[in-house]
Each structure stands twice: as structure tokens, then as C-alpha cells.
């Protein structure tokens, strides 16, 4: 009571996604810092969506109502991270990737990718730490299951740290002795 639906977005292929359990709701959306309307998220089907938070556009054939859509290489179960005009995402079965953001869209070719693919049953949860916007100080932190466990069968995890401007450089991980 007292709450009204203001706007919504549904991918045009929602029926296919629903039948195949590849829904968009598996990962949260990120409101891009420094913008008031750029909203970015992905789902189990592996598509990344850039939408306008001020006008989500409902549902249209081919998703023509949104700003951008492209395939990330694998299913996404966690929200992306963002720092210094770069979006970080680690889909299942695909490399940890960094995409540059120009203020309205993402470059669909990653500017950096990690050396290995995440092969677990869930994609890694991401966060970035840095000394403000100072170049060369960003660290992308990723937590991931160390085994094939999941919601019903917990498994130990690994915490990894990657250099934000060159994801091929793993600075540290909790599995190091």
C-alpha cells in the first residue's frame, strides 16, 4: 500500500529466459557513479544491459528501448563493480573483464582481461578499492567459491586481488601459502 510502480524494463526475450531459468534478476544493477541515469546490469543468460534509469522503457522487440546490450561470455550472478570510467565483471566461464565507459555506453571489447576463467557454479563477487581516482592505485577484489559447492552445499572461498588497470596481474590471493 502506498507504493506505486514508477517504471520497469523487461528484456524482449523474457519468455525464453524464464523457461530456461536464465532470468535477469540473478545479479543486481549498478547506477554508474557520476551519472544520474546510467544503470548497468547483467543476468544468467550472459547479456549486459545499459539502461536509462529515468526511462527504463518497459518491453520492446529487440530491446530497442534501452541504450545498449551485448553478450559478456558467460552467466553473471553478481553485480558489476565500477571505478575510473571502467566497469569490472567476471561471468562464469569467461575471464575477469574491464570495459571502458564513455558516459553513456560501454566499449564491447574489454580493455583488460584476467588470464583465467572462473569455472565455479557462481560468478565472483567484485569490489574495487583505490586512492580516490589516482591512476595505478585501483585493486579489483574478487571472492569466489574454491570448489563446486553452492547454495545448498557450502564450500570454502578464495579472495583474490587484481591490479585494476591490468587484470593479468594478480597481486594476491588467499590461497597463497
Amino acid at each position: 500500500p502506498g507504493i506505486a510502480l514508477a517504471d520497469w524494463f523487461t528484456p524482449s526475450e523474457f519468455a525464453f529466459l524464464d523457461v530456461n531459468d536464465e532470468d535477469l534478476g540473478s545479479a543486481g544493477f549498478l547506477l554508474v557513479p557520476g551519472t544520474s541515469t546510467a544503470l548497468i546490469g547483467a543476468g544468467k543468460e550472459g547479456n549486459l544491459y545499459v539502461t536509462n534509469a529515468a526511462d527504463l522503457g518497459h518491453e520492446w522487440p529487440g530491446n530497442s528501448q534501452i541504450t545498449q546490450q551485448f553478450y559478456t561470455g558467460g552467466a553473471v550472478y553478481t553485480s558489476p563493480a565500477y571505478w575510473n570510467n571502467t566497469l569490472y565483471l567476471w561471468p562464469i566461464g569467461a575471464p575477469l573483464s574491464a570495459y571502458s565507459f564513455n558516459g553513456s555506453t560501454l566499449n564491447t571489447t574489454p580493455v583488460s582481461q584476467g588470464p583465467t576463467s572462473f569455472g565455479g557454479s557462481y560468478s565472483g563477487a567484485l569490489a574495487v578499492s583505490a586512492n580516490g581516482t589516482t591512476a595505478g592505485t585501483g585493486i579489483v577484489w574478487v571472492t569466489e567459491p574454491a570448489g563446486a559447492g553452492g547454495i545448498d552445499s557450502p564450500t570454502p572461498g578464495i579472495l583474490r586481488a587484481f591490479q585494476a588497470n591490468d587484470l593479468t596481474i594478480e597481486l594476491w590471493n588467499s590461497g597463497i601459502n
Side-chain angles (χ1 to χ4, degrees):
I3 298 175
L5 177 63
D7 204 355
W8 54 274
F9 161 68
T10 298
S12 61
E13 64 277 16
F14 75 91
F16 172 83
L17 297 175
D18 184 48
V19 168
N20 292 285
D21 190 26
E22 293 184 342
D23 49 274
L24 180 59
S26 63
F29 273 69
L30 171 109
L31 183 59
V32 177
T35 74
S36 59
T37 60
L39 195 60
I40 300 175
K44 287 191 244 179
E45 85 289 3
N47 284 330
L48 189 130
Y49 300 91
V50 180
T51 61
N52 179 348
D55 182 13
L56 293 175
H58 311 290
E59 179 207 345
W60 285 79
N63 295 327
S64 60
Q65 80 283 24
I66 63 173
T67 308
Q68 185 180 26
Q69 173 185 343
F70 64 92
Y71 184 66
T72 64
V76 179
Y77 284 83
T78 60
S79 298
Y82 185 87
W83 178 69
N84 270 8
N85 299 317
T86 306
L87 183 91
Y88 300 92
L89 191 69
W90 200 345
I92 295 173
L96 171 61
S97 298
Y99 298 92
S100 64
F101 183 72
N102 67 16
S104 60
T105 60
L106 293 160
N107 183 339
T108 59
T109 301
V111 294
S112 183
Q113 288 187 307
T116 59
S117 294
F118 178 74
S121 56
Y122 293 92
S123 51
L126 306 172
V128 179
S129 65
N131 182 9
T133 59
T134 305
T137 65
I139 298 172
V140 177
W141 296 91
V142 182
T143 60
E144 62 178 342
I151 295 170
D152 297 327
S153 55
T155 184
I158 297 174
L159 176 62
R160 298 180 185 276
F162 294 90
Q163 188 170 312
N165 63 344
D166 184 354
L167 297 175
T168 65
I169 300 173
E170 184 174 20
L171 302 169
W172 176 85
N173 77 61
S174 61
I176 296 173
N177 187 352

